Amino acid sequence: MDDRNDNLILLPVLPLRGLVVFPKALIHFDVGRKKSISAINAAMKNDQLIFLVTQKDAAENDPDITKCYSTGVVAKIVQVIKQPDNSTRVVIEGKFRAGIVTPVFDKNCLMAEVEPYPDKKFKHTSEQLGLMRAVRLEFENYVKVAPRVPNDIIFKVASCKSCGELADYIADNIVLDYQAKQTILEELDQTERLDMLLDILINETYILSIEKDIVQKARDRIEDNQRDYFLREQKKIIEEELGEDDNPSAEAEAYAERIYALGLAEESENALIKECKKLMRMPYGSQEASVIRTYLDTVLDLPWNTATKDKISVTKLRKELDKSHFGLAKIKERIIEQLAVTKLRGSQDGQIICFAGPPGVGKTSIAQSIAKAIGRKSQRIALGGVRDEAEIRGHRRTYIGSIPGRIMTAIQNAGSNNPVLILDEIDKLASDYKGDPTSALLEVLDSEQNNKFVDHYIDIPFDLSNVMFITTANDVSQIPAPLRDRMEIIELDSYTREEKFNIAKKHLVPKQLEKCGFTSKEVKFTQSALYFLIDFYTREAGVRTLERLIGNILRKCAVKKLEEEQETFKITDKEVLEMLGHKKFTTDKLSAKDEIGTVNGLAWTSVGGELLPIEVAVMEGTGKLELTGSLGDVMQESAKAAVTCIRSHANSLGINPQFYKNKDIHIHAPEGAVPKDGPSAGITMATAIYSALTRKPVKRDVAMTGEITLRGNVMPIGGLKEKSMAAYKSGIKTVIIPKENEADLEEIDPVVKEKVSFIPVTSFSQVVPIAIVDVPVISEKQWNAAADNTVTTKSENIRQ
C-alpha cells in the first residue's frame, strides 16, 4: 500500500468535451471554462503537468470528477496563448496513461491524485507482429475509402515499433466517436488494444466503402448543384442496396388505399390507380411527380361519399324563412313546395331555380337562408365578369398551374356532395376567345346530364345531381335562351314602402345596433323616422342604401355617446335631418286643385312605382302633334294611338270632330331629362287630351294606368303592385286599372287596399266619367257606335 502511494501524483484535472487524448499525441485546443483555465494556471505554476480526462456527457457545462471517465492521460503543457475573446489556447503533449485514485478538493479547479499506467516493455511475439501487420494492412484499406489522410500519418503508422504505440497513434488519427476512443484508451494490454482497434478499423472501412458507393452512384445520376435531388437519389440507392426496390413506395400505397376506400366506379378507380403507378416509377423530387401528387390530393379531397342529411320540416322551414326575410311570399312558397317534394320522394327533383330582380332585394341572402334552414352547407360562386370556360370546367392538367373549375372547388370547400351552390349574377357572364362559360354551365344546370359532370382537371365523372343549384340575375333577358330554358325564373319585385319599413324595423335596425355596439334600449327609431329615411333619403329597389343610412346614424350616436356621455337616443325625423343633412329626394305631390289637361299617371321603375303626371296643352294651329319629356318610341306611339282614339270617338265624347285640323296638341311628361317608355300611359294621355279639348278639369285625387287601343279598349299592364304603392304614398284616393289586372289586386299590400279604391275598366268610355269632373256617363252603345262608324267610313274611303 505504501509502495502504491509513492507512485501517486497530485495534478490539476482538465475535463475535455468529446475529445480523447492519447500518449505521445501533440494537440492544441481552446479552453474557455473558468475552472479549466484555473487548472491550466495551476499546472503552469508547478511542473506544467496536467491530467486530461474526457467527460462522460459532452453537454455537461460544469462537470465534477464523478462525471468524468476515471482513465485519462497525464500531459505536459507546451504552450499557452491568450485569445482576444478571453479564451485560452493551449498546446499539450500526452505523456502516459493514468487513472484517478482520489479526488482532492480545491475551490479554484478540479484536483486529483492519479496513478500512472506506463506501457510495459516486452519483446513482441510472432502473433503480435502478425497482428501489427494486419492492422497496417487494414489501415491502408481505410485510407483508400476515408476522406483524405495526410502522408505524414501514413508514414508514422509504418514506423511504429510496438503494439501499444501503433494502436494509440491510429486511434488518435482516425474519425471515431469519443466513446470508442475512450474504450481503446482504457485498455492497458497492448495486444488486446491492437486487436480491438483491428475490429474497429474493419467495421469503419466497410461502412465508408458502402457510403462511398452510394455517393458515387448518386453523383453519376445528378448534377453537383442539385443538392435536394442528390439526397433523394441517395435514399433511392439505399433502398436498392437493401433490396426494397421491388415494393411500391409507402406514399403510393397510401394513395391506393384511399382510392379503393372511396368505392368509385371501375373506370374512375382504374384511372386513379394508373396515376399511382406513374408516381411509383418517378423520382420523388421530379416536377411531374409533384403534379401527379397534387392531382391525387385534389381528387381524394373531394366529398365523393360525404353528404349532409336534410332536416326538412315544412313548419320550421317556413318559420326560419319568415324570421330571416320579410315578404317574398312567392319565393318562400316555391322553395317550400320544392323541399316538400324532395322529402316525399327521398331525392330532389333536379329543378334549377333562378331568382331574378333588381339589386338589393335579397336574392343571395334568401338562398343562403334556405341552405341554413334545411341543414345543408352553402357556397357562393360569383359569376360576374367570368369570360373563360375553364373557370367553370377547370384547366386541363397539361397546363402549368392548372386548377379545378369553380364548381368543383365549391364542392370541395363545402365538404359535402349535396350543398346549396349559389351561382350569383348569372346574367353577367361574358365570352371571348377563351370560350363561352355560359355553354359550360349548360351541363352543370341540366338535371339529366349533371350526374356525370366531368371537370377538365379532375377528368373523371362527379355526380352533381344531389346539389341544389340556385342562380340569381338582375336582367333575365341577358341570359342565353338555352341556359334560361333549364331554370325556373322567379321574379323578385322591388320592395314597397311598407315592406322596406318592416325590413328596417325587424332586420336592419337590430343588425346595425349589434354592429355598432348598442342595445335596443339605448337607441330607438320611431316609425316616422324610418318612413322619413325611406321617403326622402333612398330611391332603390332593395334596402342596401337604407341599411347604410341606419348605420351612419348609429355611428354618429356612438360619437355622441363617447364625447357627450349621452346614454340613450331617440331617433325622430328631426334627428335624421340633423344627422344626414337636407332631404335627398322629394315625394310626388298632388296638385292643390282639379286642373284641365293634367292627369296623374302611374309608372313602374326598377326602384319602385312613381307618379307620372301627363300634361296636355291645346292651341289654335294646323293639327300638329308635339311630344316632349324624353319619351321612348313605344310611349310616342301610345300617344298617337290616344289621339286617334279621341278623334274616332269625338262625337260620343262631345268633341268637335275637326279638332285635328285646326288645333295643335302638345303632350308633355314632366322631369323631361328622365327617359320614359312603355304603353301603360295610354289612357292617361287620352284622358288629358280629352280634358284639354273639352276644357273640363280632371279630378286631382284620381290616378290611372293602362294601355289604350285605337278602339278605346283598355289593355293590361305590369308592375301594378309598385304603381299602387306610389299612388298610396302620393295621397291618391282612386286608381283606374285595366279589368284584366283585377287578379293582380291579390298582391297589393293590405294597407294600400284599405286607403285606395281600385276601379277596373275595359274601355276609355268608363274612364272619362270617373276621372273628369261633371261628365255624364257614356253608354256602351254610343261608344261602340262611334267606333263602328269610324271603321265604316274608313272602309268606304278605301273602296272609293
Side-chain angles (χ1 to χ4, degrees):
M1 188 71 178
D2 293 334
D3 294 340
R4 184 183 175 190
N5 289 339
D6 292 341
N7 294 331
L8 299 183
I9 308 171
L10 180 63
L11 294 175
V13 178
L14 179 61
L16 301 176
R17 291 187 187 188
L19 179 65
V20 177
V21 178
F22 286 89
K24 298 185 180 180
L26 186 66
I27 190 171
H28 63 84
F29 51 85
D30 292 337
V31 179
R33 291 184 287 199
K34 188 175 180 181
K35 284 188 176 181
S36 298
I37 294 173
S38 298
I40 296 293
N41 294 334
M44 294 301 292
K45 291 178 182 177
N46 198 358
D47 53 2
Q48 299 179 340
L49 292 179
I50 191 168
F51 184 61
L52 305 179
V53 66
T54 304
Q55 295 177 202
K56 293 177 180 178
D57 183 3
E60 185 70 39
N61 194 40
D62 188 18
D64 54 24
I65 293 293
T66 61
K67 293 180 181 179
C68 298
Y69 291 106
S70 59
T71 301
V73 170
V74 174
K76 184 174 183 179
I77 300 174
V78 177
Q79 189 177 17
V80 178
I81 304 169
K82 295 290 184 181
Q83 298 287 94
D85 58 354
N86 294 326
S87 64
T88 302
R89 173 163 293 185
V90 294
V91 179
I92 289 179
E93 182 182 9
K95 292 297 183 182
F96 51 83
R97 285 175 172 78
I100 297 174
V101 177
T102 307
V104 177
F105 174 75
D106 190 296
K107 64 180 181 179
N108 295 322
C109 64
L110 297 178
M111 298 288 292
E113 288 184 331
V114 300
E115 179 182 6
Y117 300 148
D119 285 337
K120 297 177 181 179
K121 294 182 178 180
F122 58 90
K123 294 182 179 179
H124 291 99
T125 64
S126 299
E127 182 181 353
Q128 291 170 338
L129 291 172
L131 182 61
M132 290 177 66
R133 185 175 296 178
V135 168
R136 288 191 179 102
L137 183 62
E138 191 58 41
F139 181 73
E140 290 178 8
N141 295 332
Y142 173 84
V143 170
K144 292 176 183 177
V145 294
R148 187 174 180 182
V149 178
N151 291 330
D152 57 341
I153 294 177
I154 299 172
F155 177 77
K156 178 65 178 176
V157 168
S159 61
C160 287
K161 300 299 183 185
S162 67
C163 293
E165 182 184 3
L166 180 61
D168 288 348
Y169 187 76
I170 293 177
D172 186 35
N173 287 281
I174 64 174
V175 179
L176 288 176
D177 58 66
Y178 71 92
Q179 291 96 338
K181 289 188 175 185
Q182 180 67 31
T183 304
I184 294 173
L185 182 69
E186 291 176 354
E187 181 57 58
L188 301 180
D189 187 279
Q190 294 188 36
T191 305
E192 288 295 327
R193 192 188 311 160
L194 193 60
D195 191 46
M196 186 185 299
L197 178 66
L198 180 60
D199 290 342
I200 292 174
L201 270 177
I202 292 171
N203 187 54
E204 284 295 312
T205 303
Y206 180 69
I207 291 173
L208 286 173
S209 63
I210 292 175
E211 182 180 348
K212 187 175 182 181
D213 288 344
I214 292 171
V215 172
Q216 188 59 44
K217 288 178 182 178
R219 283 178 178 170
D220 291 343
R221 296 189 181 187
I222 61 172
E223 295 179 6
D224 293 337
N225 61 345
Q226 293 176 308
R227 181 177 177 277
D228 183 64
Y229 190 70
F230 169 69
L231 295 175
R232 300 295 179 190
E233 285 296 308
Q234 278 189 319
K235 178 177 177 292
K236 186 175 180 180
I237 298 301
I238 290 171
E239 289 179 352
E240 289 176 359
E241 293 292 331
L242 295 175
E244 296 179 353
D245 55 318
D246 294 331
N247 297 326
S249 68
E251 182 184 34
E253 278 187 345
Y255 279 127
E257 288 176 7
R258 291 174 65 188
I259 292 167
Y260 288 128
L262 290 176
L264 301 178
E266 185 178 353
E267 291 182 4
S268 300
E269 189 175 272
N270 291 340
L272 295 178
I273 293 298
K274 187 177 179 182
E275 295 297 324
C276 285
K277 291 178 179 178
K278 285 183 187 177
L279 184 64
M280 282 191 287
R281 294 193 295 268
M282 292 180 185
Y284 185 88
S286 70
Q287 184 177 357
E288 191 172 352
S290 178
V291 170
I292 294 175
R293 199 175 293 111
T294 303
Y295 167 72
L296 290 174
D297 286 337
T298 304
V299 173
L300 295 175
D301 284 345
L302 289 172
W304 295 94
N305 303 313
T306 305
T308 53
K309 190 174 181 181
D310 289 344
K311 303 173 184 176
I312 301 176
S313 168
V314 173
T315 306
K316 289 183 179 179
L317 178 60
R318 195 184 296 275
K319 287 182 180 177
E320 183 69 30
L321 293 178
D322 288 338
K323 180 181 176 182
S324 59
H325 288 78
F326 181 83
L328 306 176
K330 192 193 306 182
I331 293 176
K332 292 176 183 176
E333 199 60 37
R334 175 62 184 83
I335 292 299
I336 290 170
E337 289 169 2
Q338 177 163 337
L339 294 175
V341 170
T342 300
K343 185 170 184 180
L344 289 175
R345 289 185 57 190
S347 62
Q348 65 183 48
D349 59 3
Q351 182 63 52
I352 311 300
I353 296 175
C354 177
F355 294 152
V361 295
K363 299 185 295 295
T364 304
S365 59
I366 196 171
Q368 292 170 336
S369 296
I370 290 166
K372 183 180 178 183
I374 63 176
R376 288 197 187 189
K377 296 179 180 179
S378 66
Q379 288 289 316
R380 173 181 170 270
I381 302 174
L383 298 178
V386 172
R387 57 180 63 247
D388 187 355
E389 179 191 357
E391 292 277 349
I392 306 299
R393 278 191 170 277
H395 302 77
R396 298 192 184 278
R397 281 183 290 144
T398 51
Y399 299 109
I400 296 174
S402 57
I403 57 173
R406 295 196 182 193
I407 301 295
M408 297 311 298
T409 302
I411 295 285
Q412 185 176 8
N413 292 339
S416 70
N417 60 20
N418 64 338
V420 175
L421 291 191
I422 305 162
L423 305 180
D424 221 359
E425 310 289 357
I426 199 169
D427 57 325
K428 305 297 191 302
L429 284 169
S431 61
D432 63 5
Y433 66 93
K434 296 179 182 177
D436 185 1
T438 304
S439 301
L441 279 174
L442 293 177
E443 182 185 357
V444 175
L445 299 182
D446 193 328
S447 56
E448 300 298 326
Q449 302 178 36
N450 64 7
N451 60 336
K452 291 186 177 180
F453 173 72
V454 178
D455 183 278
H456 287 160
Y457 182 84
I458 303 301
D459 209 24
I460 57 176
F462 190 92
D463 187 1
L464 296 180
S465 60
N466 296 321
V467 177
M468 179 184 285
F469 288 99
I470 298 178
T471 65
T472 71
N474 296 133
D475 186 358
V476 177
S477 65
Q478 296 297 317
I479 305 174
L483 191 57
R484 189 167 63 245
D485 183 60
R486 284 164 166 79
M487 301 183 290
E488 179 180 350
I489 308 295
I490 299 180
E491 296 281 352
L492 278 79
D493 299 324
S494 57
Y495 289 124
T496 63
R497 181 172 182 259
E498 289 300 316
E499 286 174 334
K500 288 181 181 179
F501 169 76
N502 281 284
I503 291 170
K505 181 180 177 182
K506 296 178 181 179
H507 301 283
L508 303 185
V509 171
K511 180 181 176 182
Q512 290 298 321
L513 283 173
E514 184 180 353
K515 277 189 175 182
C516 295
F518 285 109
T519 64
S520 57
K521 294 181 179 179
E522 291 176 309
V523 181
K524 292 185 178 179
F525 282 81
T526 63
Q527 289 191 13
S528 62
L530 292 176
Y531 279 121
F532 193 73
L533 276 172
I534 294 166
D535 293 337
F536 301 113
Y537 290 90
T538 63
R539 276 291 186 274
E540 58 176 344
V543 290
R544 284 179 182 155
T545 303
L546 180 60
E547 183 177 5
R548 284 195 290 268
L549 292 172
I550 292 170
N552 194 358
I553 290 171
L554 291 175
R555 287 193 294 273
K556 294 181 185 300
C557 291
V559 173
K560 281 188 177 182
K561 182 177 180 179
L562 296 176
E563 286 185 349
E564 303 174 12
E565 298 184 354
Q566 184 176 341
E567 293 298 325
T568 59
F569 300 87
K570 184 178 181 182
I571 309 301
T572 62
D573 298 4
K574 182 181 177 183
E575 277 69 31
V576 171
L577 200 60
E578 288 178 358
M579 292 181 181
L580 300 182
H582 62 84
K583 300 175 183 178
K584 302 296 186 294
F585 305 98
T586 57
T587 56
D588 299 322
K589 293 182 180 179
L590 297 181
S591 58
K593 61 180 182 178
D594 299 338
E595 295 183 7
I596 296 170
T598 301
V599 183
N600 295 316
L602 295 172
W604 178 93
T605 69
S606 61
V607 296
E610 284 187 0
L611 205 63
L612 179 64
I614 298 293
E615 298 176 348
V616 173
V618 176
M619 302 151 287
E620 295 295 331
T622 58
K624 292 180 182 178
L625 177 63
E626 188 74 28
L627 303 172
T628 57
S630 191
L631 306 182
D633 292 341
V634 176
M635 200 166 183
Q636 290 183 30
E637 291 174 358
S638 186
K640 293 174 184 177
V643 172
T644 303
C645 175
I646 296 295
R647 182 178 166 191
S648 63
H649 295 83
N651 290 328
S652 60
L653 292 171
I655 299 173
N656 181 4
Q658 303 300 318
F659 75 88
Y660 70 92
K661 293 181 180 180
N662 51 26
K663 302 290 184 182
D664 286 346
I665 300 175
H666 187 159
I667 302 175
H668 177 67
E671 295 189 38
V674 179
K676 309 167 191 73
D677 205 0
S680 63
I683 63 171
T684 310
M685 290 187 281
T687 304
I689 294 168
Y690 173 81
S691 172
L693 288 171
T694 60
R695 307 302 297 170
K696 292 180 180 180
V698 182
K699 296 176 183 177
R700 55 186 288 274
D701 58 354
V702 173
M704 60 190 70
T705 180
E707 182 180 352
I708 197 169
T709 68
L710 297 179
R711 295 180 61 86
N713 296 329
V714 179
M715 305 296 289
I717 45 81
L720 183 60
K721 181 181 177 183
E722 288 80 7
K723 292 176 180 179
S724 65
M725 181 56 70
Y728 166 70
K729 287 195 299 182
S730 303
I732 298 294
K733 302 298 182 185
T734 304
V735 175
I736 300 171
I737 63 172
K739 179 73 174 176
E740 293 183 38
N741 284 109
E742 197 170 8
D744 295 336
L745 292 176
E746 294 179 3
E747 299 181 6
I748 304 300
D749 195 287
V751 177
V752 178
K753 284 184 181 179
E754 185 180 340
K755 299 292 184 181
V756 179
S757 174
F758 293 90
I759 302 176
V761 298
T762 57
S763 70
F764 183 66
S765 63
Q766 296 171 332
V767 175
V768 172
I770 299 170
I772 305 297
V773 177
D774 298 330
V775 170
V777 176
I778 304 170
S779 68
E780 190 174 345
K781 184 177 180 180
Q782 288 177 308
W783 181 259
N784 290 334
D788 293 340
N789 183 53
T790 304
V791 173
T792 302
T793 303
K794 288 183 177 178
S795 300
E796 289 174 354
N797 290 336
I798 291 171
R799 286 198 297 271
Q800 291 171 0

